Amino acid sequence: MSQEDEDAAVPRVLIVDDHPLFRSGLKAALESTGATDVVAEAATAAEALEAVAHRVPDVVVMDLALPDASGIDVTRQLASLHPGLPVLMLTMSDDDGSLLAALQAGARGYLVKGAGAGEVLHAVRTVAAGGAVFGPGTAERLTALLTEGRRHDAEQLFPALTSREAEVLELIARGLDNRRVARQLVLSEKTVRNHVTHIFDKLQVTTRAEAVARARDAGLGDED
C-alpha cells in the first residue's frame, strides 16, 4: 500500500460527548497510533449535526446522553441526512432497551465506556470500514434478544426502572396520556407525572416523544 493509500485509509472521526475531559482522553487514545484522525468534537446534538455537515467525518463516535437530545435521536437524524455515515455508540448505558433503540436508529456498533483503548480503536476502524462491532457481552445479549423474539417487557429492557415506572412506560408507548395511564393503573395524575419524570431521568431523555421513541424502538408499545 502506498503512503497515499495509507493516509486515505485513516478514518476521520467525530467525537460527540458532553464531557470535555472524556473527549480529550478519547481523542488522545484514538490518535496515539496514527490509525485515526479526530477531525472534530461536539458536546451537543446541534454541534454534532453542524460538525458532520462541515467536517465530513468517516465515522461518528456517539454518547447516548447529550444536553439537547439523546444520542439515539441524533443517530436517527444522521441516518436520514447522511445515509451511510456509520455511528459507533460509546456510552455508560448497558441496558437492552438502549441497545435495541441504538440499532433501530442505525448505529453500526455499541460499546460501553469501560472498554479498553485498543477495543475502542478497533471498533472505530471496523465501523468506519463498513463493519459492525459489539462488545463481547453485548453481542451475546443481542443474540439472545433477537432469538427470543421481539416481545420483551419494559422492566426487562430497562432494568433501571421500577416495576411501576416500567408499567407507565409501556402505557405511554401505546399512546396513552397521563389521565388514561392514571385511570388504568388506578393512580393519581400527579403520581403518573412523577413516574414519567423519573423515567425521563433514567432513560436520559428530555421529552415524552423521546421516551416513547426509545420504548418503541426497543419493541414496546404494541398491543398484546
Side-chain angles (χ1 to χ4, degrees), residues 56-143:
V56 195
D58 298 312
V59 58
V60 178
V61 180
M62 181 79 69
D63 189 17
L64 190 65
L66 299 173
D68 52 345
S70 75
I72 290 172
D73 188 46
V74 180
T75 299
R76 189 179 294 108
Q77 291 184 62
L78 290 176
S80 174
L81 296 171
H82 305 279
L85 175 63
V87 174
L88 171 67
M89 301 298 302
L90 185 58
T91 174
M92 294 294 292
S93 298
D94 195 26
D95 57 81
D96 293 341
S98 296
L99 170 62
L100 289 175
L103 294 180
Q104 290 281 352
R108 294 267 193 85
Y110 196 102
L111 292 181
V112 294
K113 285 185 174 176
E119 186 178 0
V120 176
L121 178 60
H122 169 74
V124 168
R125 289 185 58 82
T126 300
V127 169
V133 174
F134 302 94
T138 303
E140 184 175 337
R141 283 168 35 223
L142 180 60
T143 299

